[in-house]
Amino acid sequence: MSERALPVLDLQAPADAGACCGACASAEAASLAADAASLPVSALAAALPLVVPRHRIDRDADRRVTFGGLGLAGGFLGLAVLGLAHLVVGRTGLWVPLHLAMAGGASTAIAAVMPFFTAALAGAPPLAARWRGLAIGCVAGGALVVSVAVPAGWTGLALAAGSTYVAGIGLVALVAVWPLRAALGVRRPLVEIAYVAALVQVTIGATIALALVAGIPAVAANWAMLKPAHAWLNVFGFLAVVIAASLFHLAPTVAGGRIKPRRSAVTAIAGLLAGPPLVAAGLVLAADPVVRVGAAVELAGAVALVTHAAVVRRDGGMWTTDPGWHRFTGWSLVAAPAWLLAAVAIAAGRLLWLGADPAAWSVALIAAPLALGFVVQVVIGSWTHLVPAIGPGDMAVHARQRVVLGRMAAARVVALNLGVGLAALGAIGGEPLLIGFGLALIVPSVAGALVLLAWSAGMGRRVRP
């Protein structure tokens, strides 16, 4: 059956509470069209209800900007892999690859995907692509220059780059929230509140670091307590919250389930959102009870997120096509919350034991589960799902992209997670050899994902629109 024989489905319409995530509409369109190519037109028309909105929303430019942002995030992960390789041979420290992966790769991916999700989920027309691109550029450019300027001691350049990053975060908030005024579909206030609160927390956390670079005496004198507060706001208050909120509609789509309210989702958002500011305030005030309450709340939120991932996986469907692609995305988005729980258990456990003590924060102990097991794995799993959804190309190209992105799926997922486990155990036990073995599995796994991303993206760009 030719493509022209298929019924025209307008998937720009806002999705209802039980429909697929609007942000993944084109992924589902490609998958459904590929999977149902052998069905009669009448059967396909009966299976897919036609939804025609009063005003069509053009998201082509928005998809291109999002796709470009994901490519930039992949570039940051490539630089972080090089940093990890240097770390194995003792030529660099942990700070540079960690900031490249998290402040660079994860923040750029968030800047690219968050506005796309908010507009698509609410059925709202996105802002102009130039504003989207400017926000992504400020976040990515600022993070890249900071990662170079701070270790080199270039104070003026670091301040300018850090300010650009903060301005980019503000632009991300603008392009994510402003279109919602014209939303045609159902609003999701829990996700929207989580996004805005996370952006506020990273702004505060980044400003604290900028104050240190600027040499403000009050900050420099109290950096021992402000450093863990800065880290908690940036890592747990920003990255963990945004990723968790995004998983509430992305994970059911990947699993083939339904997006619907779940108690575990509300509990996870509430805990992950309230924990970091409580911990940060307790550290700044040197208040042990506040720190311990915040740590306990954060731990409860991480447990709820793992529960939500398990429930979504249980309620998911059975895929009959592209098994490698579905296996990689599904396993990645289930394993990642478990690593967040491991990182939170270490970080919160130390706070529960030591209280408001600078020694309670140890980036070395949580770097592997948090940065690699959670953040990097979510970014890779998400782009594996989104590239055939929002990238260039027709249905045939998207089908080939799914095959490419699903190559050696089980081996890559197992290698990454086994490597994260070995590196985490090596950090806890002080065994450099074990850390080296873990990184030896992690680096080729992430590098392979980057190669497949570039390969699949190139396939789409060769197709004339």
Side-chain angles (χ1 to χ4, degrees):
M1 182 174 60
S2 66
E3 291 182 19
R4 294 183 180 180
L6 293 173
V8 177
L9 298 178
D10 192 334
L11 291 175
Q12 304 292 348
D16 59 23
C20 171
C21 166
C24 301
S26 31
E28 297 307 311
S31 298
L32 289 171
D35 297 346
S38 60
L39 293 177
V41 172
S42 58
L44 185 59
L48 300 176
L50 182 64
V51 181
V52 181
R54 289 176 296 176
H55 304 286
R56 177 179 176 82
I57 299 174
D58 185 4
R59 300 195 188 278
D60 290 340
D62 203 33
R63 290 191 183 98
R64 289 194 296 270
V65 172
T66 305
F67 182 78
L70 289 175
L72 283 176
F76 272 106
L77 293 189
L79 294 175
V81 166
L82 293 177
L84 287 176
H86 281 194
L87 179 62
V88 172
V89 296
R91 293 183 180 179
T92 187
L94 184 61
W95 192 91
V96 172
L98 192 63
H99 278 72
L100 285 172
M102 301 182 75
S107 294
T108 301
I110 287 171
V113 172
M114 181 192 290
F116 181 78
F117 276 174
T118 55
L121 283 170
L127 282 186
R130 63 179 179 273
W131 293 108
R132 293 281 323 278
L134 180 61
I136 295 170
C138 288
V139 170
L144 178 62
V145 176
V146 163
S147 299
V148 175
V150 170
W154 300 334
T155 302
L157 187 59
L159 283 173
S163 301
T164 301
Y165 177 87
V166 172
I169 292 296
L171 283 173
V172 171
L174 175 66
V175 298
V177 173
W178 189 264
L180 298 180
R181 302 180 311 124
L184 300 175
V186 177
R187 299 280 296 272
R188 290 171 172 81
L190 182 65
V191 175
E192 295 169 12
I193 291 171
Y195 280 164
V196 173
L199 293 172
V200 170
Q201 292 194 56
V202 73
T203 300
I204 297 172
T207 302
I208 293 174
L210 281 175
L212 175 71
V213 175
I216 296 178
V219 175
N222 297 283
W223 183 241
M225 299 299 283
L226 289 174
K227 179 181 178 180
H230 152 81
W232 268 82
L233 291 173
N234 283 357
V235 173
F236 294 117
F238 172 53
L239 295 180
V241 169
V242 171
I243 291 173
S246 301
L247 288 178
F248 295 152
H249 47 79
L250 182 60
T253 302
V254 170
R258 298 175 65 86
I259 303 173
K260 60 182 181 180
R262 291 181 172 90
R263 185 178 302 175
S264 57
V266 178
T267 304
I269 280 290
L272 296 175
L273 200 56
L278 284 172
V279 169
L283 289 168
V284 172
L285 299 174
D288 288 345
V290 177
V291 165
R292 290 190 169 101
V293 169
V297 170
E298 180 75 8
L299 187 58
V303 171
L305 183 62
V306 172
T307 303
H308 181 268
V311 170
V312 168
R313 186 69 178 176
R314 181 197 65 193
D315 296 342
M318 297 294 293
W319 298 107
T320 58
T321 60
D322 303 309
W325 183 64
H326 289 298
R327 187 180 299 119
F328 186 87
T329 55
W331 290 5
S332 296
L333 298 188
V334 169
W339 286 118
L340 175 65
L341 176 58
V344 170
I346 295 171
R350 291 175 65 86
L351 288 174
L352 291 170
W353 181 260
L354 299 174
D357 187 338
W361 174 254
S362 174
V363 68
L365 294 180
I366 66 170
L370 179 67
L372 299 171
F374 177 58
V375 174
V376 171
Q377 186 159 212
V378 162
V379 172
I380 293 175
S382 298
W383 84 41
T384 300
H385 178 79
L386 291 173
V387 164
I390 62 177
D394 53 20
M395 289 186 294
V397 169
H398 292 161
R400 293 197 299 271
Q401 287 174 331
R402 293 194 293 271
V403 173
V404 168
L405 292 168
R407 295 282 176 86
M408 299 179 64
R412 290 191 288 126
V413 172
V414 170
L416 176 60
N417 287 278
L418 180 58
V420 171
L422 291 175
L425 291 175
I428 294 172
E431 295 291 341
L433 188 60
L434 203 56
I435 296 175
F437 284 143
L439 293 179
L441 291 172
I442 293 168
V443 169
S445 177
V446 176
L450 292 171
V451 170
L452 295 179
L453 170 66
W455 184 4
S456 60
M459 295 169 59
R461 292 196 176 277
R462 288 193 294 269
V463 176
R464 184 177 179 179

